[in-house]
Amino acid sequence: KRRNSVGREWSEDDFKSLPNRDAYNAILRSMVHLGEDSTSNGHSNAIGGTTLSTPSPQESHEWARYGTKLLGDMARYESSQPSKFSFNYVLRLWAKSTAPDAGERAEELLSRMEVRAVISKISKKGDKGGLSHAEVPRPDALCYQNAIACWGVSAAKFYPGAASRAMLLLEKKEAQVNPGFESFGADDSRNYLLDHIYNEAVRPNGFVFTALISTCACTQLEEDKPEALRVAFDAYNRMVDAGLAPTSDTYAYLLKCCENLLPHESQRDQRNELSRTVFDAARDNGAVNSKLLLFLREVNPV
């Protein structure tokens, strides 16, 4: 039996006084939105007449670490087991941080979700920490989108191979919805794959591909820029092959890739040609807007 800090066995009343999952999620949600412009989320950041300022880079890093600690605290009691929302809030905290290891921390969170889900499946219990089998959080497309955005933070902080690591997350997503599972081997093997690996919820969507292209555009290490450019256009081609329509943001970030990953004067002709190809595709797909035109001017200044 579990005992509290003074050595007494926990009673039912003790557990009632513990913060539940909703309380923890409210804290995590407030940390994510603190400092955001009120016009962007519909909520005021003023408390008692005092406007809450955007956290400094150091503070944002500390908040991401604290959010990760809260996630661990939640797992200690049945009443506060983390949900998918909990993990996504913490992933967003890392995506808003300036931590060079944000991508690594995000992958650790995804792994934690996957391990909990597998253990829940194997245990064959109807209730795992207050959540049913179906509710034990397994990563979905939004989780991967946030994790890929975390690699964008790492890329901007000169983390080696960040764009390639983000591409590996996309490939991991694609592997989990591989249609080959439908015809794989004997029934037992097929059922195992469908139960433990196949995950329709992670099927890549347009936001995921666009997040990956944005991550590539953030790359700062010179030696990583050629690979980041390749990854960005590979992601675009996969997006189109999947039947997903690129948005104006998709094309805008491709233009940012042209600008940031082909920065040298010796690359001017290649940069101009590639950016024209991107713009032509955006025009043909009706995705030209003021933001795209601004990015085009930045790539090809007069």
Side-chain angles (χ1 to χ4, degrees):
K1 293 183 178 180
R2 305 191 71 164
R3 296 179 180 270
N4 60 20
S5 58
V6 296
R8 180 173 59 81
E9 290 183 1
W10 286 102
S11 68
E12 185 176 347
D13 289 339
D14 288 323
F15 283 105
K16 288 180 180 178
S17 66
L18 292 171
N20 60 19
R21 183 166 53 248
D22 291 340
Y24 276 107
N25 281 346
I27 295 171
L28 292 171
R29 182 171 58 250
S30 67
M31 292 169 66
V32 169
H33 292 302
L34 188 61
E36 291 182 352
D37 184 0
S38 61
T39 60
S40 66
N41 58 29
H43 299 284
S44 172
N45 288 318
I47 298 179
T50 302
T51 301
L52 301 177
S53 59
T54 301
S56 67
Q58 182 177 355
E59 288 173 332
S60 65
H61 190 178
E62 289 299 320
W63 287 8
R65 292 173 61 184
Y66 182 63
T68 305
K69 177 185 178 300
L70 287 182
L71 206 55
D73 292 343
M74 293 177 72
R76 295 174 60 190
Y77 305 107
E78 291 187 1
S79 62
S80 60
Q81 288 294 305
S83 65
K84 198 172 297 182
F85 290 109
S86 313
F87 281 96
N88 266 314
Y89 288 141
V90 179
L91 284 167
R92 288 180 63 187
L93 286 172
W94 282 110
K96 296 179 70 172
S97 76
T98 56
D101 63 344
E104 292 279 5
R105 301 289 79 79
E107 289 197 12
E108 289 174 3
L109 290 170
L110 292 181
S111 295
R112 190 186 303 184
M113 294 181 74
E114 290 165 349
V115 168
R116 291 181 81 249
V118 169
I119 291 175
S120 174
K121 287 278 188 180
I122 294 174
S123 69
K124 299 185 182 299
K125 292 180 180 179
D127 188 359
K128 175 64 177 176
L131 297 176
S132 71
H133 258 330
E135 292 172 325
V136 171
R138 192 176 177 189
D140 60 7
L142 181 58
C143 295
Y144 275 91
Q145 178 185 334
N146 286 328
I148 287 172
C150 289
W151 276 117
V153 175
S154 296
K157 290 296 181 178
F158 298 86
Y159 192 101
S164 296
R165 293 287 294 272
M167 173 56 93
L168 286 176
L169 285 180
L170 174 64
E171 292 175 344
K172 185 176 181 180
K173 283 167 58 68
E174 291 177 333
Q176 292 179 72
V177 292
N178 188 332
F181 286 148
E182 296 296 330
S183 57
F184 183 88
D187 288 344
D188 288 346
S189 298
R190 177 178 177 274
N191 290 338
Y192 179 87
L193 288 171
L194 290 175
D195 286 344
H196 297 280
I197 300 176
Y198 186 83
N199 185 7
E200 181 63 29
V202 302
R203 185 174 295 278
N205 56 35
F207 296 110
V208 171
F209 286 105
T210 300
L212 176 53
I213 294 169
S214 174
T215 289
C216 294
C218 294
T219 299
Q220 295 299 312
L221 276 178
E222 286 295 324
E223 57 266 35
D224 280 358
K225 289 184 176 181
E227 176 63 11
L229 187 66
R230 185 199 67 78
V231 168
F233 281 89
D234 185 12
Y236 171 77
N237 289 332
R238 293 188 187 204
M239 182 178 186
V240 174
D241 290 344
L244 299 170
T247 66
S248 57
D249 281 343
T250 308
Y251 291 111
Y253 288 126
L254 282 173
L255 288 177
K256 271 298 178 186
C257 286
C258 297
E259 178 186 3
N260 295 342
L261 306 180
L262 296 168
H264 303 298
E265 183 61 27
S266 61
Q267 298 170 315
R268 181 176 181 179
D269 291 344
Q270 182 184 2
R271 182 173 63 247
N272 290 346
E273 181 179 356
L274 196 56
S275 62
R276 281 197 299 269
T277 300
V278 171
F279 181 78
D280 288 346
R283 181 197 58 208
D284 294 344
N285 287 288
V288 176
N289 60 13
S290 58
K291 177 180 179 180
L292 190 72
L293 292 172
L294 174 63
F295 280 24
L296 182 64
R297 286 196 293 271
E298 291 174 348
V299 179
N300 301 309
V302 178

